[in-house]
């Protein structure tokens, strides 16, 4: 793939072929972050509260428009590529709100004008993070306070609409956040892994739930819930997919297959739907194999395969699949997120068991993404284009190390990250 000019304040790196063979990377476009240019008006109070600005539509938003003082879907025919359901889908990702004090409970007050018989649905999800930390998963906030798994200082909201008649109007959204009792149970040190059935998404030219237009040989996945959906161009929520040939880490850019509210990677009590199923078992698999829910998905369709993940063509063939089949998936954001979050750059960046290129490879980053770094060590010294660095970052979600050269920040020794 062609490179774009990287920002001048970041390290400019072009590797010699001999080093690429050793380290296993090629220069690629740095990741695109979520647009932070929207405005909101926050009132300094306890709890903190602010009104979201619905009027500014950005590249993070999908199939919505703001007219006559309200947010609505642009096209009633649009639906995410993978799900093949939810006609009239649209979503707006609002500006992150920086708060002065840590919070872990967020409430949403949504004002809509929606005819009772229209069948339209409007939901608000929120997520949060501490300074430079990883985002929590998206959590519903319009049916009672969203309880986040840890205290955060930045909160972001997302509005999602399903409106096939085009009659729903979202007039305002006000959010409030406060610090409450910590939720019971914490994320395990190791991210959840499950063996699930994978299907090839294909659908080149269609648009995903986060607004990405599917390309030939694309690398991303679809999961049947919005809770782990990354903004377009980012790897904020990514999975490691291990197939017959190899493993690949890919971002979650679409919602599907079959269901749209089946976050089966979460513990049963916190699942959005199908709470009587065990963690790690997709509803479609239970419906197909044992007749759960009458053999139908959440939309009432007869389930024709047990798929719990869709793979874009590039990911599908790269992990070694030639037909739909079983893979092992690790949901990387579900593990220990107590470290700091950093962007990466490069393609086919190898993660090693130890801080040396002679150590076995445990995973590979096919493209720019976001990783959680727990600690760092001095390991093998690597030189790329005249730049030498012996720093290696430990990624708990992968159980391995990546050279600090491929962490896309100015510093060679990552700021604020302790020694291992």
């Amino acid at each position: 793939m062609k490179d774009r000019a990287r920002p001048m304040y970041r390290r400019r790196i072009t590797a010699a072929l001999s080093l690429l063979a050793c380290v296993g990377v090629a220069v690629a476009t740095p990741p695109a972050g979520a647009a932070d240019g929207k405005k909101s008006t926050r009132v300094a109070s306890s709890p903190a509260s602010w009104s979201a600005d619905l009027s500014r539509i950005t590249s993070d938003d999908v199939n919505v428009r703001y007219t006559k003082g309200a947010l609505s879907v642009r096209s009633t025919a649009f639906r995410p590529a993978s799900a093949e359901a939810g006609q009239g889908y649209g979503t707006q990702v609002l500006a992150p709100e920086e708060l002065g004090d840590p919070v872990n409970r967020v409430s949403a007050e949504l004002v809509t004008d929606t005819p009772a018989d229209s069948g339209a649905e409007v939901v608000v999800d929120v997520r949060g993070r501490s300074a430079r930390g990883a985002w929590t998963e998206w959590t519903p906030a319009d049916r009672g306070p969203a309880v986040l798994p840890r205290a955060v200082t930045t909160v972001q909201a997302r509005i999602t609409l399903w409106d096939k008649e085009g009659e729903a109007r979202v007039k305002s959204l006000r959010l409030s956040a406060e610090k409450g009792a910590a939720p019971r149970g914490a994320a395990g040190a190791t991210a959840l892994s499950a063996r699930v059935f994978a299907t090839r998404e294909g659908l080149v030219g269609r648009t995903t739930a986060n607004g990405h237009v599917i390309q030939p040989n694309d690398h991303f996945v679809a999961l049947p819930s919005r809770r782990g959906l990354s903004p377009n161009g980012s790897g904020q929520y990514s999975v490691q997919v291990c197939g017959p040939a190899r493993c690949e880490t890919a971002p979650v850019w679409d919602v599907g297959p079959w269901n749209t509210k089946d976050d089966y990677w979460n513990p049963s009590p916190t699942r959005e739907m199908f709470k009587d199923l065990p963690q790690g078992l997709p509803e479609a698999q239970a419906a197909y194999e044992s007749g759960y829910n009458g053999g139908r998905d959440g939309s009432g369709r007869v389930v024709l395969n047990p798929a719990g993940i869709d793979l874009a063509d590039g990911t599908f063939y790269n992990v070694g699949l030639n037909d739909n089949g079983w893979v092992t998936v690790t949901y990387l954001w579900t593990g220990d997120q107590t470290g700091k979050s950093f962007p990466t750059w490069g393609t086919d960046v190898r993660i090693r068991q130890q801080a040396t290129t002679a150590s076995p490879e445990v995973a590979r980053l096919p493209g720019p993404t976001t990783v959680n770094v727990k600690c760092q060590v001095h390991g093998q010294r690597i030189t790329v284009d005249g730049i030498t660095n012996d720093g290696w970052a430990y990624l708990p979600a992968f159980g391995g190390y990546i050279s600090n050269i491929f962490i896309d920040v100015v510093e060679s020794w990552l700021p604020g990250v302790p020694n291992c």
Side-chain angles (χ1 to χ4, degrees):
M1 63 187 291
K2 288 187 177 181
D3 301 333
R4 290 195 306 222
R6 304 178 70 218
M8 293 299 292
Y9 63 87
R10 293 181 177 173
R11 291 170 288 184
R12 182 180 176 85
I13 302 174
T14 54
L17 291 178
S18 60
L19 184 59
L20 288 175
C22 174
V23 181
V25 299
V27 176
T29 306
D36 291 351
K38 303 174 192 174
K39 297 178 180 179
S40 64
T41 56
R42 179 161 64 89
V43 177
S45 61
S46 182
S49 62
W50 65 99
S51 295
D53 180 3
L54 309 183
S55 66
R56 187 170 182 182
I57 308 301
T58 75
S59 59
D60 282 339
D61 305 329
V62 182
N63 191 42
V64 291
R65 61 182 177 180
Y66 187 85
T67 58
K68 299 180 180 180
L71 183 77
S72 62
V73 297
R74 180 176 296 277
S75 169
T76 58
F78 179 79
R79 56 190 177 191
S82 179
E84 290 294 338
Q87 190 171 323
Y89 169 93
T91 185
Q92 183 179 40
V93 181
L94 295 156
E97 188 72 19
E98 302 289 341
L99 304 176
D101 298 312
V103 300
N104 65 350
R105 292 175 181 266
V106 185
S107 300
E109 182 182 343
L110 188 68
V111 176
T112 66
D113 182 4
T114 306
D117 58 350
S118 68
E121 182 181 7
V122 183
V123 299
V124 178
D125 301 307
V126 297
R127 63 178 184 170
R129 67 178 177 185
S130 301
R132 298 210 65 175
W135 287 103
T136 67
E137 194 172 73
W138 292 103
T139 304
D142 53 339
R143 290 167 283 177
V147 181
L148 302 180
R150 56 185 179 274
V152 301
T153 52
T154 301
V155 172
Q156 187 171 34
R158 179 184 67 188
I159 300 173
T160 304
L161 303 92
W162 288 271
D163 182 20
K164 63 182 179 180
E165 301 297 332
E167 297 180 349
R169 300 289 184 271
V170 181
K171 294 191 170 183
S172 67
L173 171 63
R174 187 163 185 80
L175 298 124
S176 59
E178 61 185 338
K179 182 73 176 293
R184 292 184 178 180
T190 304
L192 177 76
S193 293
R195 187 171 181 267
V196 298
F197 192 77
T199 47
R200 182 176 71 87
E201 179 156 351
L203 303 175
V204 172
R206 292 278 300 276
T207 303
T208 67
N210 74 351
H212 172 73
V213 178
I214 301 174
Q215 305 297 312
N217 198 40
D218 226 337
H219 289 262
F220 69 87
V221 307
L223 293 177
S225 169
R226 307 180 319 278
R227 290 190 171 184
L229 181 65
S230 295
N232 194 0
S234 85
Q236 293 170 4
Y237 304 98
S238 294
V239 296
Q240 182 188 57
V241 183
C242 293
R246 62 185 61 85
C247 298
E248 174 180 314
T249 299
V252 183
W253 283 356
D254 207 359
V255 176
W258 296 114
N259 290 295
T260 61
K261 298 181 181 180
D262 183 23
D263 50 324
Y264 61 83
W265 50 88
N266 280 324
S268 300
T270 60
R271 262 171 103 146
E272 186 171 7
M273 292 182 66
F274 317 118
K275 295 178 180 292
D276 54 337
L277 292 177
Q279 183 179 19
L281 178 63
E283 189 275 344
Q285 182 179 337
Y288 183 81
E289 293 180 340
S290 60
Y292 178 85
N293 194 38
R296 299 176 182 274
D297 71 357
S299 299
R301 297 174 298 174
V302 175
V303 175
L304 302 177
N305 62 53
I309 189 171
D310 257 351
L311 308 182
D313 288 359
T315 302
F316 185 88
Y317 293 116
N318 184 44
V319 300
L321 293 176
N322 293 312
D323 197 359
N324 298 335
W326 295 92
V327 295
T328 299
V329 180
T330 303
Y331 309 85
L332 298 174
W333 68 92
T334 63
D336 182 4
Q337 297 292 322
T338 57
K340 288 199 171 185
S341 181
F342 293 93
T344 69
W345 67 277
T347 58
D348 285 336
V349 179
R350 295 174 184 175
I351 301 171
R352 304 284 185 175
Q353 200 172 81
Q354 301 297 331
T356 169
T357 58
S359 182
E361 177 185 329
V362 298
R364 190 177 297 195
L365 305 179
T369 186
T370 302
V371 294
N372 190 58
V373 177
K374 183 176 183 179
C375 57
Q376 57 190 330
V377 299
H378 292 286
Q380 179 184 357
R381 187 177 299 271
I382 293 176
T383 301
V384 178
D385 197 27
I387 298 174
T388 299
N389 191 358
D390 69 349
W392 290 73
Y394 179 70
L395 312 182
F398 298 91
Y401 294 82
I402 182 178
S403 169
N404 283 0
I405 289 176
F406 305 107
I407 303 292
D408 205 358
V409 296
V410 177
E411 299 86 350
S412 297
W413 192 247
L414 304 181
V417 175
N419 292 355
C420 294

